[in-house]
Amino acid sequence: MPRHGRGCIFSRNRDPGVPRNLCVDPQHERRLMCGLTGLLRSSPRDDIIGQVARMTALLVHRGPDDEGVWSEGQIGLGHRRLAILDLSATGAQPMHSDCGRYVLAYNGEIYNHLDLRHVLEIEDAAPPWRGQSDTETLLAAIEHWGLDDALCRVHGMFAIALWDRSKQRLSLARDRMGEKPLYWGWAGKDLVFGSELKALRAHPDCSREVCRQALAQYLRFMYVPAPRSIHPGIYKLEPGTILTVDGAPPAEAPKEPIRPGEHHASLSIRRYWDLNAEIEAGAYNLIQDESEAVSTLGQVLGKAVQRQMISDVPLGAFLSGGVDSSAIVSLMQAQSARPVQTFTIGFDEAAFDESPHAAAVAQHLGTDHTKLRVTDADARELIPDLPQLYDEPFADSSQIPTHLVCRAARQHVTVALSGDGGDELFGGYNRYIRGPGLWQQLSQIPRPIRRLVGQAAQALPEHGWNKVGTAYNRIRTGGAGISDLGTKVHRLGERLRLTDSLDDLYRNMASTWIEPEMLIVGDVTEPSSQLDDPMPEFGAGDPALRMMAQDMRSYLPDDILCKVDRAAMGISLETRSPFLDPEVIALAMRLPMGMKIRNGQGKWVLRQVLYQHVPREIIDRPKVGFAIPIGLWLRGPLRDWAEDLLSHKRLAEDGLFNPDIIRQTWSEHLSGNWDWSARLWTILMFQAWHAAQAHA
């Protein structure tokens, strides 16, 4: 079979006009990561290449360095490239395998690709290498080991579209934890796919309607959890899975999303990696010796950091001064011959400003540290661009500081390492630390009394609870205090009336609107999500581990990693997460909970590794989220903007929301007696996104 074949069209276009430094003009931001697109039809048509080109053009911000479009028969693939490894033309995509059988469009980084090349050479399976790109390595691995085995050997983040010309088979795959996004679904009778929804919407037959079931999930979680998207018939491929289509795509979309292990005509989805299996394997092989655990974690995490520091472009790291980012930066600096470039942002409000802590860590480690001072006005100016940046309703308000710190980093580097995943793997969130004990106490109380307890918790205003929290933190040493106690107590009090189990408690603690279907016009039943999937048969008996596993299934990929991907890729910055290296994940599952949560404090074993590089007095303090004062802004400078989006007329005119509940919530927030900023932000972000779509 010839390497490229007849009917193959390539289009390459470097964009020299895209600046290497940050471009803050929104018009330029939309022109500025890697991204892939494509479509599969039941029969060949002449307009495939043009349609794929139009889809690919909308992802130029993900890849300003290069563009490629290819089609053959009924399949078309498109790619935008942000060159990180192998900046030459030999790394361009879509790329053909040496034998000519496979064509690949791929978004991500394979950190161990040089090791894989070495193994392929030892096994006499290496082709004549044309360049140094990890894309070429991945193709050779797939050709030799097969897709599933190749992905299991990979250490990296990726979304791929692979066309097997011999079997006429399309395969879509996503990395283990969902660092890189991949949407797929139907546009008329075409199966379309891509890194962002905007690329799919470029197809004239792609639905722009709102899926009300997905809307209910969004109102609960602040994001739309996989496998759904905000549009009917368009889905997110779940992490750790492979979707295959043999021959022609199904003529119609299924009534419900296809889950791993299911099929729909010629389409099927399977897992190549399973979190449940990882948890069980770790539980069968626990590390009991504390010294061994600390030593092994230092070695394994250090190797993961080393792998992710490979880059042909400038590289740095985010540094908040917390445990996770400080651990990553300390291991980077220990392996670097020159100061690591680190970045943080500071706010005028002391309660939200962690930049002094970051500066202290940076000074101790000797990094080349950059702090960007951000004013309220700087943060608020970003809000109108959020619908375009996130492309789907998304209401985690830390999206704003996340994008701002990405802006700061992009002025100096093209790749930045982060501490994402440390909380979920090593027990960092307060719900893991206090949730199980709280439920053990509450479960002894009859439900009617629990409801009274919840009401009593809400009777004291939030500022009153915050005073209690301040006093408590003064007597708690070692960073085991609680920040923003008032909001947390009020949220817990509200959730107690619907809690009958620890799993209920977790779900309610993860919820923004407790009964989201009440807000939506019509008969809407909130669908199940990955949180309803079975837990491992062995190893998930610990209540804190159950919560951590649930977060790894949904909150981590669909909120945290989505937030970082869009915030960074919107300005052509690649982010990497060493905690999500498969060896680090496997090791974390082997650590007993007592090595993660101890004496009311999370991440014990990770802290021991960090203390070898940074004194504990610099690190230990109550955990603070990456937050901004949204509640205050909504009562002040953002009030007019919010009032317009939350007006009774505007809420009612689209026929999606029941305005009365939202208006009541808005009124209570404006009174200052309640902080409903999280709930209101979900509505505001949806309304802003919906308005942007109407004018797109």
Side-chain angles (χ1 to χ4, degrees):
M1 181 180 291
R3 179 169 297 175
H4 299 311
R6 298 179 62 185
C8 176
I9 301 176
F10 284 90
S11 171
R12 303 292 179 201
N13 179 25
R14 286 197 174 272
D15 188 353
V18 176
R20 298 298 297 172
N21 62 340
L22 173 68
C23 178
V24 298
D25 179 3
Q27 294 297 323
H28 287 176
E29 284 185 7
R30 286 195 286 271
R31 295 189 61 244
L32 284 178
M33 104 188 181
C34 283
L36 65 88
T37 63
L39 64 82
L40 179 66
R41 286 182 170 159
S42 56
S43 60
R45 274 171 44 187
D46 293 339
D47 63 339
I48 287 181
I49 196 76
Q51 182 58 63
V52 174
R54 287 187 290 273
M55 296 167 65
T56 306
L58 290 181
L59 296 182
V60 64
H61 58 285
R62 295 188 75 93
D65 295 327
D66 203 5
E67 178 187 58
V69 179
W70 169 89
S71 74
E72 182 178 78
Q74 77 242 45
I75 183 73
L77 298 176
H79 187 263
R80 291 293 319 191
R81 181 185 181 205
L82 173 64
I84 303 297
L85 294 173
D86 190 353
L87 309 187
S88 70
T90 60
Q93 299 184 47
M95 183 181 289
H96 288 67
S97 63
D98 182 70
C99 67
R101 175 178 174 178
Y102 298 105
V103 186
L104 177 70
Y106 145 71
N107 168 28
E109 294 289 341
I110 307 302
Y111 307 123
N112 65 332
H113 89 98
L114 294 178
D115 295 333
L116 292 176
R117 285 194 173 203
H118 182 63
V119 175
L120 288 167
E121 290 164 356
I122 290 176
E123 297 185 6
D124 198 26
W129 300 115
R130 289 166 280 170
Q132 297 297 318
S133 76
D134 54 351
T135 312
E136 187 180 4
T137 307
L138 181 57
L139 270 170
I142 293 170
E143 182 179 344
H144 180 56
W145 291 307
L147 180 58
D148 295 64
D149 194 8
L151 296 184
C152 287
R153 293 170 181 258
V154 160
H155 290 215
M157 55 179 181
F158 54 84
I160 71 171
L162 179 74
W163 179 245
D164 184 333
R165 301 168 72 193
S166 175
K167 294 185 176 181
Q168 295 290 286
R169 173 184 293 164
L170 172 68
S171 297
L172 305 178
R174 196 173 175 204
D175 62 65
R176 294 168 178 83
M177 301 302 286
E179 291 184 70
K180 287 300 176 184
L182 187 53
Y183 291 88
W184 68 278
W186 275 262
K189 294 187 177 181
D190 292 346
L191 185 82
V192 291
F193 48 91
S195 297
E196 295 184 16
L197 277 177
K198 60 171 64 71
L200 277 63
R201 286 195 295 259
H203 192 294
D205 296 328
C206 184
S207 174
R208 290 175 174 265
E209 296 180 6
V210 172
C211 172
R212 293 179 186 242
Q213 289 181 300
L215 178 59
Q217 290 183 310
Y218 162 75
L219 293 173
R220 178 181 294 278
F221 297 116
M222 299 189 297
Y223 56 86
V224 179
R228 280 181 165 80
S229 83
I230 195 62
H231 299 306
I234 303 295
Y235 309 108
K236 299 181 179 80
L237 187 64
E238 295 180 41
T241 66
I242 300 172
L243 177 153
T244 60
V245 183
D246 285 299
E252 296 180 350
K255 294 181 179 180
E256 291 293 324
I258 301 173
R259 300 295 311 283
E262 299 176 351
H263 66 88
H264 175 67
S266 60
L267 187 151
S268 63
I269 298 179
R270 66 185 184 274
R271 294 191 189 278
Y272 69 87
W273 184 85
D274 187 5
L275 177 61
N276 280 4
E278 202 74 36
I279 292 172
E280 289 187 342
Y284 279 114
N285 191 26
L286 289 175
I287 298 177
Q288 302 293 352
D289 183 82
E290 292 181 354
S291 297
E292 178 188 356
V294 174
S295 174
T296 305
L297 178 58
Q299 294 173 13
V300 171
L301 186 57
K303 289 180 180 178
V305 169
Q306 183 182 50
R307 279 191 288 266
Q308 297 195 19
M309 289 176 68
I310 297 175
S311 174
D312 294 334
V313 294
L315 176 145
F318 302 134
L319 179 61
S320 70
V323 174
D324 300 334
S325 64
S326 298
I328 297 302
V329 170
S330 65
L331 292 172
M332 290 177 70
Q333 191 60 68
Q335 301 177 73
S336 177
R338 58 185 181 183
V340 172
Q341 294 190 74
T342 55
F343 305 93
T344 191
I345 56 174
F347 294 97
D348 293 333
E349 295 86 352
F352 299 92
D353 185 19
E354 290 196 288
S355 60
H357 305 296
V361 174
Q363 182 178 10
H364 181 83
L365 293 174
T367 71
D368 180 6
H369 190 60
T370 299
K371 181 185 77 172
L372 174 68
R373 174 62 60 179
V374 176
T375 67
D376 284 1
D378 295 329
R380 293 194 301 271
E381 285 177 3
L382 176 61
I383 292 173
D385 297 330
L386 293 178
Q388 172 71 16
L389 188 65
Y390 282 86
D391 204 33
E392 185 176 36
F394 186 84
D396 182 342
S397 62
S398 64
Q399 62 198 141
I400 296 175
T402 299
H403 185 64
L404 291 172
V405 75
C406 288
R407 282 187 175 183
R410 188 61 182 89
Q411 296 181 48
H412 304 272
V413 300
T414 310
V415 178
L417 272 62
S418 78
D420 294 316
D423 285 308
E424 292 81 1
L425 288 172
F426 297 99
Y429 294 133
N430 282 322
R431 55 180 170 266
Y432 311 150
I433 300 168
R434 295 178 174 83
L438 177 63
W439 174 246
Q440 186 176 18
Q441 297 175 24
L442 293 175
S443 63
Q444 308 301 317
I445 305 173
R447 183 173 181 179
I449 299 179
R450 287 205 304 272
R451 296 183 65 176
L452 292 175
V453 171
Q455 293 172 2
Q458 292 180 290
L460 182 65
E462 291 185 12
H463 61 80
W465 281 113
N466 285 335
K467 291 180 180 179
V468 174
T470 300
Y472 174 79
N473 291 341
R474 287 173 180 164
I475 62 175
R476 293 292 292 177
T477 59
I482 308 174
S483 63
D484 197 19
L485 180 63
T487 299
K488 293 170 182 174
V489 169
H490 272 227
R491 288 185 65 188
L492 177 60
E494 183 191 26
R495 285 150 175 74
L496 286 177
R497 66 185 180 88
L498 297 174
T499 298
D500 291 318
S501 68
L502 180 66
D503 288 344
D504 285 344
L505 179 63
Y506 165 81
R507 183 179 180 86
N508 290 333
M509 291 175 74
S511 299
T512 303
W513 291 94
I514 303 298
E515 298 174 287
E517 62 276 4
M518 299 288 290
L519 278 71
I520 303 174
V521 173
D523 186 13
V524 177
T525 302
E526 187 181 354
S528 61
S529 69
Q530 294 186 69
L531 299 181
D532 301 299
D533 288 352
M535 280 286 183
E537 294 183 2
F538 177 75
D542 185 276
L545 179 58
R546 292 179 70 87
M547 291 184 176
M548 293 161 67
Q550 294 287 47
D551 277 347
M552 283 185 271
R553 284 173 165 178
S554 185
Y555 177 67
L556 178 61
D558 293 327
D559 185 311
I560 300 297
L561 298 179
C562 171
K563 173 183 64 181
V564 174
D565 175 82
R566 304 304 195 278
M569 300 267 44
I571 49 169
S572 302
L573 175 73
E574 178 180 293
T575 56
R576 300 176 178 179
S577 304
F579 283 118
L580 302 183
D581 182 276
E583 291 185 5
V584 177
I585 295 171
L587 175 60
M589 300 308 165
R590 296 183 59 202
L591 301 177
M593 193 55 62
M595 293 188 191
K596 298 178 181 179
I597 299 174
R598 183 175 297 189
N599 298 326
Q601 187 180 58
K603 296 184 276 200
W604 179 85
V605 65
L606 182 59
R607 289 174 185 271
Q608 308 316 303
V609 173
L610 177 56
Y611 294 155
Q612 296 173 10
H613 303 273
V614 181
R616 67 175 62 220
E617 57 267 22
I618 297 179
I619 295 297
D620 285 349
R621 64 185 187 279
K623 181 177 178 60
V624 178
F626 202 19
I628 52 176
I630 288 290
L632 294 175
W633 292 353
L634 291 178
R635 297 187 188 104
L638 292 181
R639 181 167 178 169
D640 290 343
W641 169 78
E643 183 63 56
D644 178 56
L645 292 173
L646 299 178
S647 70
H648 193 285
K649 178 182 178 182
R650 192 155 182 176
L651 289 168
E653 64 185 6
D654 292 324
L656 292 171
F657 291 122
N658 290 313
D660 293 342
I661 299 175
I662 297 171
R663 293 296 303 176
Q664 177 64 28
T665 304
W666 176 231
S667 177
E668 291 177 356
H669 181 81
L670 291 178
S671 73
N673 294 325
W674 298 83
D675 183 2
W676 294 129
S677 54
R679 291 186 175 183
L680 292 167
W681 198 246
T682 62
I683 306 298
L684 290 165
M685 285 294 96
F686 178 85
Q687 290 288 86
W689 171 84
H690 203 220
Q693 293 307 307
H695 294 92

